[in-house]
Amino acid sequence: MMMLNEVTPVPEAALPLAEFKAHLRLGTGFGEDSLQDAVLTGFLRAAVAAIEARTGKCLIERAFAVELTRWRNISGEALPLVPVTDVTALVQVDAAGAEVTADSAAYRLERDSQIPRLFPAGASLPSIPTGGHVRLEVTAGMAADWGSLPADLGQAVLLLAAHYYEYRDETALGRGCMPFGVTSLIERYRVMRLAIGAVQ
């Protein structure tokens, strides 16, 4: 069994609120400029989440925890996040909840734009306690801030957030609705997952 948890959300400072307001051509210089900030930030977060789900890639760098009750392959584990920039800890948790942090010299991260993997330094990855699990604490994301994202992904987020804003009162939109302009911008970033459980 695998569980993936977002430990830290996308920082609010990393969201392009000013750019989004400009994209929507909202008026500025008035006393109520910030009145819609919370709503607009919510649409930006929703757009980031939707594009991450569609592409299989994390846009803004942040912390995640991956819990596994067994290794799918003790000679190398494919990670469910792309791109993983660091594995900050591998924690072995026994059935009683006691934790032991494995020596970082016992494993290594192989970065990859499609399927990053955790490899052992020796013959196998650290053991998972019987009845327990292992928790991988990882950092994943394409960019530390908005300005470092590829321009087409940034534009896709703005387009999708604007779409959500424009149709915010619409209840008849199809499930997973995404404008064609957005899908065309993100198509080349979609992760191929045909061999996600295998080490090749």
Side-chain angles (χ1 to χ4, degrees):
M1 182 186 75
M2 174 187 289
M3 290 183 62
L4 174 63
N5 297 301
E6 185 181 55
V7 176
T8 56
V10 176
E12 190 164 319
L15 294 170
L17 183 58
E19 292 91 332
F20 188 33
K21 287 181 175 181
H23 181 82
L24 294 174
R25 298 179 181 174
L26 296 181
T28 59
F30 302 99
E32 298 181 343
D33 280 358
S34 62
L35 191 62
Q36 291 194 78
D37 283 5
V39 173
L40 298 178
T41 298
F43 286 132
L44 284 169
R45 287 192 183 281
V48 168
I51 287 174
E52 287 185 337
R54 187 66 65 95
T55 61
K57 292 191 174 182
C58 301
L59 302 187
I60 301 297
E61 193 172 78
R62 56 201 191 275
F64 294 85
V66 181
E67 294 185 2
L68 297 158
T69 54
R70 65 179 180 85
W71 298 117
R72 288 169 294 186
N73 188 334
I74 60 172
S75 63
E77 181 74 15
L79 301 177
L81 293 159
V82 181
V84 174
T85 57
D86 192 21
V87 177
T88 56
L90 189 159
V91 182
Q92 296 157 297
V93 185
D94 68 18
E99 299 185 356
V100 175
T101 301
D103 186 347
S104 60
Y107 56 88
R108 64 179 176 84
L109 170 66
E110 181 184 85
R111 299 184 183 189
D112 187 270
S113 64
Q114 296 294 320
I115 306 175
R117 297 174 174 89
L118 189 70
F119 283 104
S124 63
L125 290 164
S127 62
I128 298 179
T130 302
H133 63 275
V134 68
R135 184 177 70 248
L136 302 175
E137 298 175 3
V138 306
T139 303
M142 298 182 70
D145 54 55
W146 190 261
S148 300
L149 270 181
D152 48 359
L153 280 177
Q155 182 66 15
V157 169
L158 292 178
L159 286 174
L160 186 56
H163 177 75
Y164 290 158
Y165 180 82
E166 183 177 355
Y167 293 98
R168 59 193 178 279
D169 298 320
E170 178 61 66
T171 59
L173 289 175
R175 186 176 180 181
C177 177
M178 189 169 284
F180 174 74
V182 175
T183 58
S184 62
L185 284 170
I186 67 175
E187 183 61 31
R188 73 187 183 99
Y189 293 99
R190 297 186 69 177
V191 172
M192 298 297 295
R193 295 192 179 276
L194 297 178
I196 190 67
V199 176
Q200 297 181 340

